[in-house]
């Protein structure tokens, strides 16, 4: 169910504009508004899941779908061969600021080591 004050639920509902890259019944992909690399987009479940810690067994199909959609879009965006990262931040110390689960897809430049 949509959460009224959630920015990503509002993007799903079309109440806030976004550069939409892909959409189906379960997921939405859109460009990150503050890209940290030449290619940076987000893949989100349409359903409001706050963090990775809220994922249940019932969510496993949509999480797997997000990974595959992300890879297909990465290819489409031209970074399939050079490589890219898929990142999910969980809670404050990881840098999560939007509490609607989202998968970052980042590429188009050399990445440093994680950490
Ligand atoms: P995180 O820090 O993992 O919670 O990532 C949140 C991401 O959402 C950041 O990279 C923001 O730039 C991005 N973001 C926030 N608001 C919007 C928006 N309205 N449209 C697109 N991306 C957004
Ligand atoms: Zn939400």
């Amino acid at each position: 169910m949509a959460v009224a004050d959630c920015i990503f639920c509002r993007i799903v509902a079309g109440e806030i504009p976004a550069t939409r890259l892909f959409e189906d019944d379960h997921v939405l992909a859109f460009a990150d508004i503050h890209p940290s690399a030449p290619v940076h987009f987000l893949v989100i479940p349409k359903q409001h899941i706050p963090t990775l810690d809220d994922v249940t067994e019932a969510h496993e199909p949509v999480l797997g779908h997000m990974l595959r959609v992300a890879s297909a879009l990465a290819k489409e965006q031209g970074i399939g061969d050079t490589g890219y990262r898929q990142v999910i931040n969980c809670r404050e110390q990881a840098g999560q600021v939007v509490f609607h689960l989202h998968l970052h897809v980042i590429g188009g430049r050399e990445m440093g080591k994680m950490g």
Side-chain angles (χ1 to χ4, degrees), residues 1-3 5-10 12 44-50 98-101:
M1 213 182 79
V3 171
D5 62 356
C6 170
I7 189 167
F8 287 178
C9 282
R10 296 191 66 197
V12 169
I44 69 170
K46 286 192 164 177
Q47 185 185 358
H48 182 85
I49 305 169
V98 177
F99 284 80
H100 178 130
L101 184 71

Side-chain angles (χ1 to χ4, degrees), residues 4-71:
D5 62 356
C6 170
I7 189 167
F8 287 178
C9 282
R10 296 191 66 197
I11 287 175
V12 169
E15 294 167 11
I16 293 177
T19 303
R20 297 162 96 96
L21 304 175
F22 176 80
E23 171 168 20
D24 64 17
D25 287 347
H26 305 291
V27 302
L28 173 67
F30 54 95
D32 195 291
I33 205 166
H34 297 302
S36 67
V39 176
H40 187 177
F41 60 89
L42 304 174
V43 183
I44 69 170
K46 286 192 164 177
Q47 185 185 358
H48 182 85
I49 305 169
T51 78
L52 269 180
D53 290 337
D54 301 297
V55 169
T56 67
E57 197 175 343
H59 296 131
E60 285 181 5
V62 76
L63 268 286
H65 186 49
M66 285 165 57
L67 297 184
R68 290 209 319 117
V69 165
S71 292

Side-chain angles (χ1 to χ4, degrees), residues 77-97:
Q77 301 275 318
I79 55 170
D81 292 335
T82 45
Y84 54 89
R85 270 191 189 146
Q86 296 193 11
V87 175
I88 299 177
N89 296 322
C90 184
R91 301 187 191 277
E92 285 81 357
Q93 284 203 342
Q96 185 176 9
V97 295

